[in-house]
Amino acid sequence: MAGPEESGSPTEPEADPRGDPYLRTRFARPALPLTFLRRERLVRRLDATPRTPLTMVNGCAGAGKTLLVADWAAGCAGPVAWFTTDAADQGPGMFWAYLLQSLRAAGLALPDGIGCPADAGRAPHALLARLAAAFTDRERPLTLVLDEYDRVTDPRIAEQLEFVLHHAGDGLRLVLVTRTEPLLPLHRYRAAGELTEIRDAALAFTPEEAADLLERHGLRLPGAAARTLVDRTRGWAAGLRLCALAARESPDPQTYLKEFEADHSTVADFLLAEVLKRQPPRTQDLLLRVSVLGRFRPELADALTGHTDAGPLLARLARENAFVEHLGHGRYRLHPLFAEILRAHLRERAPGLEPELHRRAAHRLRRSGSLTETLGHGAAAGDWEFTARALVDDLALGQLFTGLRSGDLAALFSRMGPEAGGPAADLVRAARALAAHDLGHGLVHLRAARRGLAPRRHGLAGVPPAYAAGAVAYGGFDRAPVPGAVGDPAAGAGAGVEAAPVPAAPVPAAPGPAAPAAPVDPDVAARLSCALLDALAARLTGSPARAERAAAVADELTRRVPAAVLDRHPELTALLLSHLGSARLWAGRFEEAEAAFTAATRATGGAATALPRADSLGRLALIDLLDGRLGQAERRARAAVTETERFGLPQPSGSGVGQLVLAAVAVERDDLAPARAHLDAAAGSPAVLRDPVLEAAHALVTARLHLARGDTAAVLRAAGPGVAAEVPSPWAEAQTALVVAAAHLAEGRPEVAAAVLRAVSGDPAACAVGAARVRLAQGRPRAAVELLDALRPERHAGPAVTVRAALIRAEAAERTGDPAAARRFLAHALHEARPERLRRPFREAGPWLRPLLARPPLRGPAADWLTPAPAPHAPKPHAPAPHTPPMPHKHPVPHAAPALPAPHDHRPSVGADRAAGARKEPAPPVVERLSGRERDVLRRLAGMMSTEEIAADLYVSVNTVKTHLKSAYRKLGVNRRGDAVRRAREHGLL
């Protein structure tokens, strides 16, 4: 049998089986609009059609399916027939009659024996067999496009079409343009690799394509605005085109595209006509009701409709690409524009129904354990008592303070009005106020919540009477101190209440199938949330005893909470530990504070506990700093700073104590510019954890920075105002006295300095060293040594304390005529200070030690990190340098006392200049600029740190450090560590 040829046919029928003339428009390929955008990535996928017998372009209404295929078909090399199906063609006879006519309209001459169906309701099998055989005989395949194939609903037509396609061999390439999956055995074609598919996701416009499309409409849109528009429309082609047309009529097109109301646009007209009104009334009702949901399951949709058929209806809508997307695992969502338009339509058709739908959704979701969605729908329903109760009952109140959702939760509950009553609403108000450091309102709301729980105040359902009494006694911070507690003036800072047991950090459950957590007793949940806020309020007001009582109550209540619930909310325990540790730290009970902080740093939960973990790491670093252990303090502080960054929390995040510790370490190392930068970064931290510890630390570091710069008046201003707290802090008072005494010494007032130190008793080691320094300034070196000899510190003092003590002993020995002892003590100070790069004590010590450091045997230990290395041809060390500042007289300002050049002054040292001048040939220039990380490595190399120490200090691997070193050696033109440091100094890189 001869195949169909590309020529006219004299026997072409003039009427369809019903006797009506053929509608020629159904055989015409649609014309492309002037603003059409050719998308090459999709055209390339359609070019694979000759390699597969079946191609399916399946997308929602307005996805651009037809225009895409029309554009591609116009460029096809072989013959292309186009047939737009019609819902009126219900019978197989009409379908095949029109299909045959589309082949003739494409210029194909069909064999005379094929014939034409005479009955609109059936197609003879012989006709189908002859047509398939005719395609088999073709030398070049024919491409047949069936547009709007979703209108073909008769399964007989699908079966017959599959028969022809199967037996046509390589002579036919079928392209289906459809909104739904056709009733063809697609699984067989997929398995055989004989199906090319372009679905809704691929049809969506990318931001770049959207920008190009808008430009064709005369609109230029920045990249960010294009991405926003694509996010809102999901790249829907018709939505983008309709928006572009409307924006052209707007005086401000960019603002229109950003803020347009979908329900008052042509987009709404399109979707209502093409999608909603095509559905049966029951399906329309389903779509309108689920428009208030985000992602949802059929069971939730049934709760909103009151029926039980949402599952099959949603599955059908998703198959039909009716702007309902199946997300997998039984979850669905509506297209955002469609949902927005449906909600507006719902308000018109059923005013007042939307809040009721949100209420139903909230209660249904509450039973299924989906807290985030529960809160959203509860708030949308305006049922704030239910919403607050859901948050508290789930023990999720801590999420207002920490985690990725804290900002969203705060914004959600900011809409809660004063009419919402009940303990849960008061607890949420108290939490929001305390998070904003509004203690006044926070405590008022906390007392109101406690009154709401008052009917059972002495019967905490299992809480021992001692704990219950403690909780009741802690009825408000405006009450008189509990006798014998920390707030009692008769009690010391650490007296009053036995330390509460440190709650264990949550341990993740063993892997296994997830099971719903057992519900928590609402009374226990409310009281545990109350204890959490009690601990926070105690922390913010500097009340250690009350923090202990709150922690004791919380510890007992957590025993009545199912482990699965605590595992779900690790932030609860982490926050309690952080608050308890901070209160203990304020009281000067360092070891107990360390226990709480260490437990908090081990909390699980990722981003949910990042804030309390970072805060605890920072306060552990502060304890190290107060003990004088700079290296450990710096490592922990850097870990605290990076803890919130690695989880993507908004920056700045955390309490800022890590930045304060880094600033203090930089001051001790005489790196004043970095110290200022860290101090400024700390000032930008959120208010949620701005407690007396943080305020005292900020004042102390600021005062020490002013002292290092020689601004004694600023020192007294920074250290002058005390920190408001219920009880004083021994270490804060002692450290403040030390910096104030140092300022008075710098101004030549040793008697005033001595009086300042006599008034404090905290931190005996640091205070004894400070008092010994005062006695030296008074001309009493032996008395200074006697004071140090009598020192018996309770905790091990770190190098920041021991180095200063050794320098005082060295100066005392020098003044009493024992230069050998002076050199021995000075050598000990250098040995202790070098690993920590501790320079500030040597600057503070005064000019007496310069001659000792400039001569052997001390010149070597001080070289490179404290004093410049002697140049080969430089003047003798004791000769005055031309640019050396004059020696001060008595009681010099600390930063100017030693005439030692600052190692991190970012300019060549005097010794390096002289050495360079003495050489016959200048050093070769650095051709490539050193990277920031290479300079960091070189700075630590100059401090005599090993490769392993540098890696630990920078939180990188040893191999990474070696890579930076090799690169720095290459750029500096050297091969050894010492040469690299020398070259870097010569070029002012260190």
Side-chain angles (χ1 to χ4, degrees), residues 585-876:
L585 174 55
W586 179 250
R589 291 151 47 194
F590 288 172
E591 292 181 358
E592 295 172 29
E594 281 181 331
F597 288 140
T598 302
T601 61
R602 295 171 182 162
T604 60
T609 56
L611 180 61
R613 284 202 313 272
D615 181 61
S616 297
L617 281 169
R619 287 164 198 263
L620 285 170
L622 179 59
I623 293 175
D624 291 330
L625 179 71
L626 293 171
D627 283 342
R629 298 188 293 268
L630 264 63
Q632 187 166 318
E634 182 185 32
R635 286 190 292 274
R636 279 176 163 168
R638 292 196 183 280
V641 171
T642 58
E643 183 68 15
T644 56
E645 293 176 354
R646 67 193 184 99
F647 288 104
L649 294 180
Q651 299 299 320
S653 188
S655 64
V657 69
Q659 294 284 5
L660 284 178
V661 172
L662 291 175
V665 170
V667 170
E668 288 290 86
R669 290 173 177 168
D670 216 37
D671 296 338
L672 304 187
R676 181 75 260 175
H678 287 303
L679 198 57
D680 292 341
S685 299
V688 59
L689 299 178
R690 193 185 304 150
D691 58 3
V693 170
L694 184 66
E695 293 181 5
H698 190 277
L700 287 170
V701 176
T702 302
R704 289 193 177 279
L705 180 58
H706 288 313
L707 186 64
R709 288 176 168 170
D711 191 348
T712 55
V715 171
L716 299 178
R717 286 195 301 271
V723 175
E726 285 208 358
V727 298
S729 172
W731 63 263
E733 289 186 339
Q735 292 294 326
T736 301
L738 284 170
V739 72
V740 169
H744 287 302
L745 279 182
E747 292 296 324
R749 298 190 291 267
E751 300 303 328
V752 178
V756 169
L757 291 176
R758 280 196 298 271
V760 296
S761 58
D763 203 347
C767 287
V769 172
R773 186 181 174 200
V774 171
R775 294 187 183 184
L776 270 181
Q778 292 173 328
R780 302 162 58 196
R782 287 186 174 84
V785 173
E786 290 172 359
L787 191 57
L788 294 178
D789 289 341
L791 180 62
R792 294 291 184 269
E794 297 178 5
R795 290 172 59 85
H796 173 68
V801 177
T802 58
V803 167
R804 285 179 167 86
L807 288 174
I808 290 171
R809 291 182 183 275
E811 184 176 359
E814 180 76 6
R815 290 192 185 187
T816 55
D818 190 352
R823 287 192 296 272
R824 187 170 66 253
F825 286 124
L826 188 52
H828 176 73
L830 290 169
H831 175 76
E832 290 270 315
R834 185 169 190 164
E836 304 274 7
R837 305 192 301 284
L838 185 59
R839 302 181 185 89
R840 194 71 225 153
F842 296 90
R843 304 282 188 260
E844 295 171 348
W848 63 272
L849 54 70
R850 192 179 70 169
L852 295 177
L853 295 178
R855 293 193 299 269
L858 300 177
R859 182 173 63 193
D864 291 333
W865 74 277
L866 185 60
T867 62
H873 304 286
K876 292 182 179 181

Side-chain angles (χ1 to χ4, degrees), residues 440-632:
H441 288 93
L443 296 177
V444 168
H445 294 310
L446 192 52
R447 285 194 294 273
R450 197 175 290 106
R451 283 195 299 271
L453 298 171
R456 296 175 61 187
R457 63 191 303 176
H458 287 291
L460 291 182
V463 179
Y467 290 143
V472 173
Y474 181 42
F477 286 92
D478 54 346
R479 296 191 179 182
V482 178
V486 177
D488 186 359
V497 174
E498 181 182 352
V502 176
V507 178
V520 183
D521 181 345
D523 184 68
V524 171
R527 294 182 186 278
L528 187 50
S529 300
C530 193
L532 171 65
L533 299 185
D534 285 343
L536 173 57
R539 168 189 186 156
L540 296 178
T541 55
S543 179
R546 289 170 176 172
E548 296 289 351
R549 285 196 292 271
V553 172
D555 180 64
E556 184 62 30
L557 287 169
T558 52
R559 300 178 190 180
R560 301 194 58 220
V561 177
V565 176
L566 292 177
D567 290 342
R568 196 171 67 234
H569 293 294
E571 73 279 354
L572 175 67
T573 303
L575 287 168
L576 278 166
L577 289 166
S578 174
H579 300 335
L580 178 61
S582 293
R584 289 173 174 176
L585 174 55
W586 179 250
R589 291 151 47 194
F590 288 172
E591 292 181 358
E592 295 172 29
E594 281 181 331
F597 288 140
T598 302
T601 61
R602 295 171 182 162
T604 60
T609 56
L611 180 61
R613 284 202 313 272
D615 181 61
S616 297
L617 281 169
R619 287 164 198 263
L620 285 170
L622 179 59
I623 293 175
D624 291 330
L625 179 71
L626 293 171
D627 283 342
R629 298 188 293 268
L630 264 63
Q632 187 166 318

Side-chain angles (χ1 to χ4, degrees), residues 372 374-380 384 387-388 400 405-416 432:
T372 302
T374 297
L375 298 178
H377 287 292
W384 291 107
T387 307
L400 281 166
R405 296 179 49 242
S406 59
D408 294 337
L409 279 177
L412 184 143
F413 281 103
S414 67
R415 294 157 26 207
M416 183 172 67
R432 292 189 58 243

